[in-house]
Amino acid sequence: MVLDSLILSGGTVQNGIWYLGASATSDRRGFKLGFFAQWVGPTWAFLSPGKAMTFIADGDKIVLTCTGSDGRRNITDTGEAFETTFCEVSPEDLDRIVSARRVLIEIKGEVLTQRARLDPADLSCLLAFHDVTHGVATVGAK
């Protein structure tokens, strides 16, 4: 299950575009909720591994650990850099994000960093994702 990518508010940066999406996956190790960030632009962002995605939900910092984009970089047909990182989120942190009235996000790369505010449409999409995955995450956690 993957939520369609949201173009981040303030999305175009240095002639490129940042996308934020949410995903829910299940494998033999269990159920995972997460966010993925994608950068498409004329240069590499070199999305960082580790604590590289931060949400500030009504002033409360939620720091997520990301895979980084190493091994997840390509060149598009139009010659642009395309890279992706995945950051796992706990059901509790997702609850905090979707229940906030004001949500800011920061995604760190070695070359580029994006800061944006999620607009009401973005938050509505994340709330719908939360509602669909909430029951599944609860069952999967048992």
Side-chain angles (χ1 to χ4, degrees):
M1 176 183 329
V2 176
L3 175 71
D4 287 336
S5 296
L6 307 169
I7 296 175
L8 287 178
S9 302
T12 303
V13 176
Q14 295 184 2
N15 299 319
I17 299 175
W18 287 93
Y19 296 94
L20 174 68
S23 69
T25 58
S26 179
D27 61 22
R28 61 183 172 189
R29 291 174 287 185
F31 187 79
K32 289 183 186 178
L33 292 172
F35 291 101
F36 58 90
Q38 297 177 326
W39 161 253
V40 181
T43 62
W44 297 107
F46 293 110
L47 300 173
S48 302
K51 297 178 187 256
M53 185 180 288
T54 302
F55 285 90
I56 301 172
D58 289 339
D60 187 19
K61 255 188 180 178
I62 301 163
V63 181
L64 304 181
T65 301
C66 302
T67 60
S69 63
D70 190 30
R72 294 173 191 85
R73 295 184 194 118
N74 288 301
I75 301 292
T76 66
D77 292 342
T78 59
E80 293 182 296
F82 175 85
E83 53 188 298
T84 302
T85 188
F86 178 79
C87 311
E88 193 169 343
V89 65
S90 70
E92 296 79 18
D93 284 341
L94 182 59
D95 288 345
R96 291 169 45 204
I97 293 166
V98 301
S99 65
R101 296 178 73 172
R102 179 179 165 91
V103 179
L104 304 172
I105 184 173
E106 179 180 85
I107 304 166
K108 293 180 188 173
E110 293 173 31
V111 176
L112 298 173
T113 296
Q114 169 69 359
R115 292 173 189 87
R117 179 178 178 188
L118 298 185
D119 65 25
D122 297 337
L123 292 173
S124 178
C125 285
L126 287 179
L127 182 58
F129 174 78
H130 171 268
D131 291 347
V132 168
T133 60
H134 185 70
V136 178
T138 303
V139 171
K142 292 183 179 181

